[in-house]
Amino acid sequence: MAVKLLLLIIFFAVMVCVGVVSRKHASNVNDFVLGGRNVGPWLTAFAFGTSYFSAVVFVGYAGQFGWKYGLASTWIGLGNAFLGSLLAWVVLGRRTRIMTQHIQAATMPDFFGKRFNSNALRIAASAIVFIFLIPYTASLYNGLSRLFGMAFDIPYTACVVLMATLTGVYVILGGYMATAINDFIQGIVMIGGIIAVIAAVLSGQGGFMEAVGKLAQLESDIPVTQGQPGAFTSFFGPDPLNLLGVIILTSLGTWGLPQMVHKFYTIKNEKAVKTGTVISTVFAVIISGGCYFLGGFGRLFDDPAIYKADGSIAYDAIIPQMLSTLPDILIGVVVILVLSASMSTLSSLVLTSSSTLTLDFIKGNIVKEMDEKKQLLVMRVLIVFFIAISVVLALDPPTFIAQLMGISWGALAGAFLAPFMYGLFWKKTTPLAVWASFISGVGITVSNMYFKFIASPINAGAVAMIVGLVIVPVVSLITPKMNEKKVNDIFACYDEGVYVKRKVALPEEERA
């Protein structure tokens, strides 16, 4: 117990110290929200990865999908790495950085407002961000409850409050730069932790080959496999179609999540984008691939502790059950790993929520005149507000909040992915097409919550994204076009030398 508590104390102390040291990088709105648009590739790549993979992935998704699909769930991790990280950086990284810098957009709603010359779109996007990031934020704490019950005698309530408070402290003090530096530290912890845990769990089963042999003997309870053994070690698992839906949502979904895309706004130059692409992909292969690979062995730890009173599986209990037999020092490492994953994502979400609400909703709409000092004050107050709401919801989540958690990714990605991507690449994208994507993305995922016309919320989110990718070009072709001169002026940002001509503030090496 003393060793585990010492690890916690050191971890929290480092996080707060980074916030204190980073105060000088949070003196104005540009620095607080974007790190001065001068963040290096390592910090940006780790910030992207740690915001992507939280305790929801390690404890919830890895347990749930590992139980359902066996070792084939590793495909989800690889999809996250190559579709959600590599391809996202290649397709969106450079263009996002250039266009958002050119039109001076600091958030995703700000991008929609300026790219499509519509304050109404900015307000609508900020409302969608607020509504669907709050339950997602609250869900981050869920993976901690069973782990802390297993590892410590500390009440879950105290753990949640402490984690939220310390996250709030370093984000309020240091803004985006403190978040990025802490994400880098937390990412290193996550890499070391997942490698150690996989090695220890497989060792406890007699090694990799022995564990796979045991898993191959288990009969599948999926009807399509007719109870045959070996389904959980097969190449595509017992249910390939639903597995594909999970891969699409958890991989392509990141392309439309505001807290993920925001990382491309901050990176300092094109060379950093290329370096960050490689780093982010390797990080995702290790963390996401490792999490789902570990979860694939979940059925070897079938125990009464993972069942609810009604006999159904408590998926959040599977990974903690796997870890319960580890040595104390490794349990301490796991707790720090999950804390790292949760705090990094939490800091990214609350910074995104507070900056969006301040810059895109309050400024210019509710409060007409806001100087930099007032904007920073409001953002810091809202960070406290968002963290407080997430704590309240995490401690006593209402049923509708629990339902919203499951559709947060689908609604956000379904609404934002298509118009954001087309907006970066296609001049003919129209404001009405963006509205159509907002309505279809939120409409499909929310209505499915009540009418269940698509069996899985995960698949509903994947459908919402695909519909958006079809509906945006179709609506754009039949609706009034934007002013051609304004659009050409926006897309001129991709022309060589345009930054120097327009005197946009850039790092010295790019200005030269």
Side-chain angles (χ1 to χ4, degrees):
M1 181 63 71
V3 172
K4 289 182 284 189
L5 286 174
L6 180 63
L7 286 173
L8 273 183
I9 292 169
I10 293 172
F11 176 77
F12 286 138
V14 170
M15 299 300 103
V16 174
C17 286
V18 168
V20 173
V21 171
S22 300
R23 281 183 300 173
K24 62 182 179 181
H25 296 291
S27 57
N28 58 59
V29 172
N30 185 55
D31 288 346
F32 190 84
V33 177
L34 299 168
R37 295 189 189 265
N38 195 33
V39 184
W42 283 89
L43 291 185
T44 304
F46 271 69
F48 185 91
T50 54
S51 297
Y52 195 164
F53 309 116
S54 67
V56 176
V57 171
F58 182 74
V59 176
Y61 281 7
Q64 176 181 351
F65 299 127
W67 184 272
K68 288 183 176 181
Y69 308 124
L71 289 182
S73 64
T74 308
W75 284 112
I76 305 172
L78 296 177
N80 293 172
F82 294 105
L83 299 179
S85 289
L86 175 62
L87 202 58
W89 277 75
V90 169
V91 175
L92 301 179
R94 175 181 176 272
R95 287 211 164 216
T96 300
R97 174 188 162 273
I98 291 175
M99 184 176 283
T100 57
Q101 198 165 47
H102 177 61
I103 63 178
Q104 295 296 287
T107 65
M108 184 173 276
D110 196 23
F111 170 85
F112 289 125
K114 291 177 177 175
R115 166 64 178 85
F116 298 101
N117 194 31
S118 171
N119 192 50
L121 278 176
R122 179 189 285 111
I123 294 172
S126 65
I128 294 171
V129 170
F130 172 75
I131 291 169
F132 291 101
L133 278 191
I134 286 293
Y136 181 34
T137 303
S139 72
L140 295 176
Y141 302 99
N142 289 354
L144 294 172
S145 58
R146 292 181 182 273
L147 281 178
F148 267 79
M150 175 189 72
F152 299 98
D153 293 326
I154 303 173
Y156 172 58
T157 301
C159 163
V160 168
V161 171
L162 182 62
M163 169 185 156
T165 301
L166 291 173
T167 304
V169 166
Y170 75 72
V171 177
I172 289 169
L173 286 175
Y176 182 80
M177 190 56 73
T179 299
I181 294 171
N182 273 330
D183 286 349
F184 180 77
I185 297 169
Q186 291 159 351
I188 296 295
V189 172
M190 290 167 67
I191 290 173
I194 194 68
I195 292 172
V197 167
I198 290 173
V201 168
L202 292 182
S203 177
Q205 291 293 316
F208 172 69
M209 295 306 296
E210 182 70 21
V212 171
K214 293 177 183 177
L215 196 62
Q217 295 172 20
L218 300 180
E219 294 183 357
S220 170
D221 50 7
I222 305 294
V224 71
T225 59
Q226 300 178 344
Q228 295 176 354
F232 297 116
T233 55
S234 62
F235 198 68
F236 291 121
D239 194 0
L241 188 60
N242 279 318
L243 176 63
L244 180 62
V246 176
I247 293 171
I248 291 173
L249 179 62
T250 60
S251 300
L252 294 183
T254 60
W255 294 36
L257 296 180
Q259 76 275 16
M260 301 298 298
V261 175
H262 177 260
K263 305 300 185 287
F264 300 136
Y265 291 33
T266 67
I267 197 163
K268 65 181 181 180
N269 54 39
E270 291 194 31
K271 182 180 178 183
V273 172
K274 294 176 182 177
T275 307
T277 302
V278 176
I279 299 168
S280 178
T281 304
V282 173
F283 181 87
V285 168
I286 296 171
I287 299 299
S288 189
C291 285
Y292 287 108
F293 174 74
L294 179 66
F297 292 98
R299 286 183 180 258
L300 298 183
F301 297 85
D302 196 347
D303 185 90
I306 67 171
Y307 290 90
K308 300 178 184 177
D310 62 1
S312 60
I313 299 290
Y315 292 117
D316 287 351
I318 295 172
I319 297 297
Q321 178 62 26
M322 293 174 71
L323 306 176
S324 61
T325 57
L326 297 181
D328 280 352
I329 185 66
L330 271 181
I331 290 178
V333 169
V334 170
V335 171
I336 300 298
L337 185 162
V338 176
L339 268 175
S340 296
S342 299
M343 290 178 70
S344 57
T345 307
L346 177 64
S347 62
S348 179
L349 292 176
V350 297
L351 186 59
T352 300
S353 299
S354 65
S355 60
T356 293
L357 201 58
T358 302
L359 302 177
D360 304 317
F361 189 78
I362 298 175
K363 180 187 173 185
N365 296 305
I366 297 176
V367 180
K368 297 299 181 184
E369 297 293 331
M370 286 183 76
D371 59 25
E372 292 242 337
K373 189 174 180 181
K374 285 182 180 178
Q375 291 175 48
L376 284 172
L377 176 62
V378 171
M379 276 190 276
R380 286 177 164 130
V381 170
L382 285 175
I383 286 171
V384 175
F385 172 72
F386 285 126
I387 287 180
I389 290 179
S390 70
V391 168
V392 170
L393 294 178
L395 294 178
D396 186 22
T399 303
F400 75 93
I401 288 293
Q403 290 174 316
L404 279 178
M405 288 175 193
I407 65 168
S408 291
W409 268 42
L412 288 164
F416 293 153
L417 168 60
F420 182 75
M421 189 166 68
Y422 283 115
L424 289 175
F425 285 88
W426 194 36
K427 292 182 180 181
K428 294 182 179 180
T429 310
T430 65
L432 284 176
V434 180
W435 281 113
S437 183
F438 285 4
I439 293 168
S440 67
V442 173
I444 289 172
T445 49
V446 173
S447 61
N448 187 66
M449 184 172 70
Y450 295 102
F451 301 113
K452 310 291 185 187
F453 49 85
I454 300 174
S456 165
I458 297 286
N459 288 345
V463 168
M465 287 188 291
I466 293 169
V467 168
L469 290 170
V470 173
I471 205 171
V472 167
V474 170
V475 174
S476 293
L477 291 173
I478 61 175
T479 52
K481 305 295 182 283
M482 290 184 64
N483 181 283
E484 188 174 352
K485 184 179 181 303
K486 287 184 177 178
V487 175
N488 287 336
D489 187 57
I490 290 172
F491 275 79
C493 65
Y494 300 129
D495 296 340
E496 186 177 356
V498 73
Y499 288 131
V500 178
K501 293 175 187 176
R502 297 178 183 279
K503 298 180 181 178
V504 175
L506 289 174
E508 184 63 36
E509 65 269 20
E510 281 193 65
R511 208 157 39 238

